[in-house]
Amino acid sequence: MTTSPSSPRPSRSWGILGVGAATIAACAVCCAGPILVVLGGIGVTSAIGALWMPALVALAVAAGLGVLVVRRRTTRAACRRGAAVADLGMPTVGPHLVTEGSKAARR
């Protein structure tokens, strides 16, 4: 084991610490692209949502106004009740009554 005059310790190879550092660096290089794509997708989706939500609100308001206009028109066009009262001559429920013109009165 030789030592250099500037350092009193012997030189070491990378060892476990070096392999771990290389692994972390390789992972960062490999995973940086997909991570940036996911974050970019979230950003684009947020931007579209920021523009789309006001459009949805405007569409909902327009639809609500359309429903009110259609209901108002159908209410105006509906049949209205006249001033006169109509007698419908509803039958009575109970024992059959004998009247002058019925068959039972002729017997």
Side-chain angles (χ1 to χ4, degrees):
M1 207 156 58
T2 61
T3 59
S4 65
S6 64
S7 114
R9 294 185 198 158
S11 64
R12 287 184 169 177
S13 62
W14 277 87
I16 302 261
L17 184 61
V19 171
T23 303
I24 291 173
C27 180
V29 170
C30 177
C31 295
I35 289 173
L36 289 175
V37 168
V38 169
L39 293 176
I42 292 171
V44 168
T45 305
S46 298
I48 290 171
L51 297 175
W52 185 247
M53 290 309 247
L56 287 178
V57 169
L59 183 64
V61 168
L65 289 174
V67 166
L68 289 175
V69 167
V70 168
R71 288 186 74 184
R72 181 173 286 180
R73 285 183 184 173
T74 56
T75 303
R76 287 180 186 168
C79 295
R80 293 202 172 112
R81 189 181 84 174
V85 178
D87 184 20
L88 299 177
M90 299 297 288
T92 59
V93 178
H96 193 69
L97 298 175
V98 178
T99 58
E100 288 183 31
S102 69
K103 293 180 186 177
R106 291 182 194 160
R107 290 187 194 166

